[in-house]
Each structure stands twice: as C-alpha cells, then as structure tokens.
Amino acid sequence: MDLRLRLPDETHRRLRAVADESGNSLNAEILTAIEEHLERGQTSAVRAIARKVAERDAELLDRLSR
C-alpha cells in the first residue's frame, strides 16, 4: 500500500532524529511507532476485558483462590 502522510515540521524533525540515531530509515521508524501504538491499544483493550470479567466473576474467583 502506498500512503502519503502529512506531518508537522517539528514531528518530521523528531522522527528523522530518532531514525538517524537508531540507524533506521524514516519509513521504518514510522512503522515501528505505529506498531507500538497499536500494541498498546490492544493491551489496554485486553486489560479492560479482564477487569470486566474480574468484576463480574469476583465471587467465583475468590472461591477458586482458596
């Protein structure tokens, strides 16, 4: 897929600096940032589901832990 991304100059400068420091291309650095962002989102979604299950089944979980 080909995607055009418009970034503020400051964001582009910061991304370029990080890419240069790590020896990555700008594209690779942007891809890494997007993947990390998506991973954090999935992790928070899993935590939210786990909290709901824990609240719903608190009594059962308490009995099972004895």
Side-chain angles (χ1 to χ4, degrees):
M1 179 177 103
D2 189 38
L3 174 71
R4 181 174 292 230
L5 181 62
R6 295 181 187 149
L7 299 172
D9 290 340
E10 176 63 14
T11 303
H12 182 262
R13 185 194 64 71
R14 291 172 60 201
L15 276 167
R16 170 58 68 197
V18 170
D20 289 346
E21 284 179 21
S22 62
N24 291 330
S25 68
L26 186 57
N27 188 72
E29 205 59 49
I30 291 169
L31 182 58
T32 298
I34 291 169
E35 288 173 347
E36 288 176 359
H37 173 76
L38 293 173
E39 183 66 30
R40 280 193 309 273
Q42 291 172 347
T43 300
S44 62
V46 168
R47 285 186 190 137
I49 292 168
R51 273 193 301 276
K52 286 180 183 179
V53 169
E55 290 169 5
R56 183 190 69 204
D57 297 333
E59 183 182 334
L60 173 61
L61 292 169
D62 182 54
R63 283 188 278 149
L64 288 173
S65 68
R66 294 179 192 178

